[in-house]
Each structure stands twice: as structure tokens, then as C-alpha cells.
């Protein structure tokens, strides 16, 4: 008997002498098809390598074997991945106990680098407030919030790209990408 579904099957046999014997057997197998899903956690900033993919295999018949291919940072035989780069494609092939397999492709969206260019005009004379600072920003997701602050905490301007009438000192320029959470800082 071939090509039977999962379940119990019975057969009654009778020999030439009229003796009867009944047999009952179970054909086992997975109740559901093998399915692979995953949750991707992207890197916050360009160039980081801590994006992750948390894979879940269901159905089929456990145990499962995981084989990964794709971009850098992979642990080939691991179920989950934790040191991945954005802008790459990663594929997992999951095989169950009986050799049934399912492939799933994960694409980690690229992150654009946040670029900061600063321009400084030094104070002309001791004690004056004639210093100027200016920043030009680009990249990231495009939804960026700039902030200037003094190193000693006495000055702060959120949303500012250019400031004038400043005393001599160190200033910190911070850009936050509001979409990804990436924060880049530059001291001038």
C-alpha cells in the first residue's frame, strides 16, 4: 500500500485454513507543512554590524537544521543571526527530520551614512563673542534633527545648523536620524 495519508490503517487477513488475523498500524508524519518566518532588527547606523534575524520554524517534523547563505556576518549553521549588516540579503534553508526543506530570504534595507561638514570662525580677540559655527548635514533617512551644544553644558540649540556670537570654547554637534534612531556626534 503506497501514498497513504497520515492516520491509522487496519487490515484483516484470512489464511486458507480460515484463521483470521487483524493488524492495525499508524502512518506518522507532520501535521502541518514546514514554514519559516523571521523578525528582522536593523542596525541603527550605517556601517554597524549588529542587525539580527530571529527565525522561527514550524510544521514539518523537528528537529530542524538551519543553513545560511548571503552577506557578511553569518554563523552558517545557527538558527538566529546577530552580527549582520544592512544593505545585504540573507537566505536561510531549513530542513526538517525527514529532509523536507523550506527557504526564506531576508533583505536588510541599506542605511545611508550621515555626513557632517563643519565650518568654524574663531573668536577675533580674547573675551569676545565673535565666534561662529556652521554645519552642513546630509544622508541618513533624510529626517534629521541637528543640535549644537557647548562642551561645558552652558549652551544648547536644538534644530540649529548655524550659530553666531559665540565665545571661544569647544562645541559638540549632534545629528539624530529620527527614522532609525542613529546619533552621530562631532566636536569642534
Amino acid at each position: 500500500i503506497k501514498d497513504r495519508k497520515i492516520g491509522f490503517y487496519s487490515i484483516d487477513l484470512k489464511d486458507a485454513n480460515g484463521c483470521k488475523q487483524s493488524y492495525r498500524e499508524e502512518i506518522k508524519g507532520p501535521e502541518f507543512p514546514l514554514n519559516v518566518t523571521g523578525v528582522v532588527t536593523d542596525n541603527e547606523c550605517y556601517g554597524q554590524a549588529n542587525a539580527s534575524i530571529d527565525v522561527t520554524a514550524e510544521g514539518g517534523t523537528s528537529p530542524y537544521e538551519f543553513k545560511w547563505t548571503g552577506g557578511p556576518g553569518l554563523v552558517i549553521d545557527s538558527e538566529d543571526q546577530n552580527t549582520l549588516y544592512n544593505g545585504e540579503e540573507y537566505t536561510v534553508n531549513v530542513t526538517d527530520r525527514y529532509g523536507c526543506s523550506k527557504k526564506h530570504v531576508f533583505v536588510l534595507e541599506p542605511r545611508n551614512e550621515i555626513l557632517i561638514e563643519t565650518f568654524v570662525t574663531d573668536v577675533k580677540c580674547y573675551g569676545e563673542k565673535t565666534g561662529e559655527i556652521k554645519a552642513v548635514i546630509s544622508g541618513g533617512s533624510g529626517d534629521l534633527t541637528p543640535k549644537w551644544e557647548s562642551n561645558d553644558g552652558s549652551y544648547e540649540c536644538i534644530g540649529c545648523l548655524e550659530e553666531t556670537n559665540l565665545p571661544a570654547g569647544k562645541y559638540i554637534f549632534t545629528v539624530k536620524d529620527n527614522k532609525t534612531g542613529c546619533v552621530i556626534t562631532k566636536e569642534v
Side-chain angles (χ1 to χ4, degrees):
I1 299 176
K2 293 182 178 181
D3 299 324
R4 295 290 173 192
K5 294 183 179 183
I6 296 169
F8 288 96
Y9 292 88
S10 298
I11 188 168
D12 294 323
L13 300 175
K14 183 177 175 183
D15 68 12
N17 296 325
C19 296
K20 295 180 184 179
Q21 182 72 37
S22 294
Y23 295 93
R24 180 175 163 100
E25 293 293 330
E26 179 183 14
I27 295 177
K28 297 178 183 179
E31 293 182 37
F32 300 101
L34 180 60
N35 188 40
V36 179
T37 58
V39 175
V40 174
T41 303
D42 287 310
N43 292 307
E44 287 183 351
C45 297
Y46 171 84
Q48 290 179 330
N50 59 359
S52 63
I53 302 173
D54 181 9
V55 172
T56 301
E58 299 175 310
T61 305
S62 65
Y64 306 109
E65 181 180 282
F66 299 85
K67 293 286 184 193
W68 287 87
T69 58
L74 286 174
V75 178
I76 303 298
D77 296 332
S78 178
E79 177 177 347
D80 299 323
Q81 300 292 323
N82 297 304
T83 57
L84 306 179
Y85 291 86
N86 279 78
E88 299 289 342
E89 182 175 291
Y90 298 92
T91 302
V92 64
N93 190 50
V94 179
T95 305
D96 77 357
R97 165 188 246 160
Y98 295 111
C100 300
S101 64
K102 183 79 172 189
K103 187 182 290 188
H104 193 91
V105 177
F106 299 91
V107 178
L108 279 67
E109 295 301 320
R111 292 283 184 245
N112 294 319
E113 185 175 11
I114 297 173
L115 302 173
I116 302 172
E117 189 173 4
T118 56
F119 304 92
V120 176
T121 301
D122 290 327
V123 171
K124 294 177 185 172
C125 298
Y126 179 81
E128 290 185 343
K129 292 184 177 182
T130 56
E132 296 180 6
I133 50 179
K134 179 181 179 181
V136 176
I137 57 175
S138 61
S141 70
D143 182 12
L144 305 174
T145 299
K147 178 175 82 170
W148 279 108
E149 61 186 317
S150 62
N151 200 30
D152 65 4
S154 63
Y155 167 80
E156 178 180 87
C157 184
I158 297 173
C160 302
L161 287 173
E162 186 173 347
E163 284 300 300
T164 59
N165 303 318
L166 296 172
K170 293 205 180 277
Y171 292 86
I172 300 167
F173 185 69
T174 304
V175 178
K176 179 178 182 186
D177 188 318
N178 296 310
K179 182 178 177 185
T180 66
C182 181
V183 175
I184 303 294
T185 301
K186 183 174 184 179
E187 187 175 294
V188 294

